[in-house]
């Protein structure tokens, strides 16, 4: 990449940082441009920058000009920049509104910078579609809810129409906010989330044609170049002032837990394990750090089932795991696996066959 082009992208990234956004350099494929510092490790361990070196995807994101210049200097092939979502001060949420099929040209001829009456959208970057070097891209299940969600009879997908339909059904207005136009004819809508709310990344869960970029994801910033063209602010779009996400939309973006909070309360004394020991297992799970949550939950659940207290303690262990950020489905599967493992080891060897 020519130095003048790199300087152009770096200037845009520094402008974003000056407004409080944390940025990383990206390749033409919209992937983090700085090579992993662990690519030579024989068995790379999960690392999000604790090693002190760059090359950890969105976890490298910074608003410090010197740190940004250093990142771009280590990736002179960068053609764009990503803006980290879910981070202070904006706690950015991105809605990537895809446009696939015959509708693409129709959108280009419209008024891309203006929200529709029912809630016109603005653009978020689908850049987080990578095999996330940060591993937090978390593109979730692709849930289709039928043609009304944004597909027409020809199989085309219109994320803007799907978002407008959601706005009508859930009675919220899509605010005028930062809108980025993508090379494919889609839009990226930037919204602010409240502090303390971690919006998960997903692809198509909200509706076909709508991908969500939350904590651990990123948006391709305006002024970036990708393999298929440039990203640019829509005419009339605010430049660096994302609007707050409507409360009704936030509720859609953060599905409730499948089960209410339950706390373990030891019952009357029994010949089984001491209640304090069981409470210790719950505390052990709740103190888990990211990267060890699954292992610690499995170990604690195995101990509980081995003592015969597994069925009683399982809800409290799952609740503790959810409090650490482990996904509900993963927590339940881990406890179920521990129950099977404990049952197997409690059987005589001849029953294993």
């Amino acid at each position: 990449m020519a130095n003048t082009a790199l300087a152009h992208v770096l200037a845009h990234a520094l402008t974003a940082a000056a407004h409080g956004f944390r940025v990383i350099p990206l390749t033409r494929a919209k992937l983090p441009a700085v090579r992993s510092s662990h690519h030579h490790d024989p068995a790379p361990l999960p690392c999000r920058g604790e090693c002190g070196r760059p090359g950890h995807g969105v976890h490298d994101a910074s608003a410090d000009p010197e740190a940004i210049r250093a990142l771009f200097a280590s990736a002179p092939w960068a053609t764009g920049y990503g803006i980290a979502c879910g981070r202070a001060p904006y706690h950015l949420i991105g809605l990537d509104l895809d446009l696939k099929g015959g509708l693409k040209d129709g959108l280009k001829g419209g008024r891309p910078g203006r929200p529709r009456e029912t809630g016109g959208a603005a653009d978020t970057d689908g850049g987080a579609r990578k095999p996330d070097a940060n591993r937090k891209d978390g593109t979730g299940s692709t849930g289709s809810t039928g043609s009304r969600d944004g597909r027409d009879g020809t199989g085309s997908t219109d994320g803007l129409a799907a978002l407008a339909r959601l706005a009508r059904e859930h009675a919220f207005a899509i605010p005028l906010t930062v809108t980025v136009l993508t090379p494919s004819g889609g839009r990226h809508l930037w919204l602010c989330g409240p502090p303390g709310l971690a919006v998960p990344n997903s692809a198509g869960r909200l509706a076909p044609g709508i991908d969500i970029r939350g904590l651990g994801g990123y948006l391709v910033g305006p002024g970036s170049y990708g393999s298929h063209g440039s990203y640019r602010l829509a005419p009339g779009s605010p430049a660096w002032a994302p609007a707050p996400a409507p409360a009704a939309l936030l509720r859609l973006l953060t599905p409730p837990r499948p089960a209410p909070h339950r706390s373990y309360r030891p019952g009357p004394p029994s010949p089984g394990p001491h209640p304090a020991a069981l409470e210790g297992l719950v505390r052990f799970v709740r103190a888990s750090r990211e990267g060890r949550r699954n292992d610690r939950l499995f170990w604690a659940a195995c101990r509980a089932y081995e003592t015969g207290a597994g069925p009683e303690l399982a809800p409290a262990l799952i609740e503790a795991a959810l409090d650490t950020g482990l996904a509900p489905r993963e927590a339940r599967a881990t406890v179920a696996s521990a129950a099977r493992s404990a049952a197997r080891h409690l059987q005589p060897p001849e029953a294993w066959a």
Side-chain angles (χ1 to χ4, degrees):
M1 180 181 181
N3 288 337
T4 53
L6 180 63
H8 167 85
V9 173
L10 175 58
H12 279 279
L14 290 171
T15 299
H19 287 83
F21 296 94
R22 301 173 188 236
V23 303
I24 55 170
L26 299 179
T27 67
R28 295 179 67 85
K30 303 183 294 186
L31 300 177
V34 179
R35 190 175 187 183
S36 171
S37 53
H38 302 286
H39 66 278
H40 286 313
D41 294 357
L45 297 174
C47 179
R48 296 189 170 186
E50 295 86 354
C51 66
R53 296 175 290 172
H56 300 87
V58 76
H59 303 291
D60 291 339
S62 175
D64 178 69
E66 292 307 313
I68 294 167
R69 290 189 178 94
L71 287 172
F72 275 83
S74 62
W77 47 84
T79 65
Y81 66 100
I83 297 179
C85 294
R87 308 281 291 275
Y90 298 100
H91 306 282
L92 195 63
I93 301 168
L95 284 85
D96 179 0
L97 308 178
D98 289 334
L99 189 66
K100 298 175 181 176
L103 295 176
K104 185 178 298 183
D105 293 336
L107 178 63
K108 287 181 179 178
R111 304 174 70 187
R114 312 275 304 243
R116 289 189 179 178
E117 209 170 290
T118 54
D123 197 308
T124 80
D125 168 34
R129 250 177 237 182
K130 60 222 176 270
D132 207 344
N134 7 301
R135 291 327 297 173
K136 272 247 174 203
D137 147 309
T139 45
S141 62
T142 306
S144 171
T145 56
S147 62
R148 295 180 306 157
D149 291 331
R151 293 183 181 139
D152 67 7
T154 66
S156 299
T157 298
D158 185 348
L160 181 57
L163 183 61
R165 182 188 59 79
L166 288 172
R168 290 193 302 270
E169 291 181 354
H170 296 274
F172 65 86
I174 301 175
L176 178 63
T177 189
V178 180
T179 301
V180 178
L181 303 181
T182 71
S184 64
R187 297 178 172 201
H188 296 168
L189 181 68
W190 297 19
L191 297 171
C192 289
L197 179 66
V199 172
N201 295 280
S202 64
R205 185 191 65 80
L206 197 62
I210 303 178
D211 296 345
I212 305 301
R213 299 293 167 249
L215 184 63
Y218 57 77
L219 304 173
V220 176
S224 297
Y225 295 96
S227 300
H228 303 291
S230 63
Y231 291 76
R232 65 192 189 282
L233 283 174
S237 167
W240 302 107
L249 177 58
L250 285 175
R251 288 193 290 271
L252 294 175
L253 296 177
T254 52
R257 290 180 178 178
H261 283 279
R262 297 177 59 186
S263 299
Y264 170 70
R265 292 179 176 82
S270 67
H274 194 278
L278 300 182
E279 291 179 313
L281 291 177
V282 176
R283 290 195 300 270
F284 176 80
V285 172
R286 187 168 281 117
S288 303
R289 294 180 177 273
E290 194 162 0
R292 297 296 309 279
R293 297 175 299 194
N294 195 297
D295 291 342
R296 289 168 71 98
L297 174 60
F298 181 83
W299 183 90
C302 282
R303 303 293 80 76
Y305 278 97
E306 287 169 358
T307 63
E312 176 190 11
L313 198 62
L317 293 175
I318 292 173
E319 178 195 357
L322 297 182
D323 289 341
T324 69
L326 198 65
R329 182 177 179 180
E330 186 176 4
R332 291 193 295 270
T334 297
V335 171
S337 177
R340 292 192 296 271
S341 177
R344 173 182 170 86
H345 285 88
L346 291 173
Q347 290 175 338
E350 56 268 25
W352 293 3

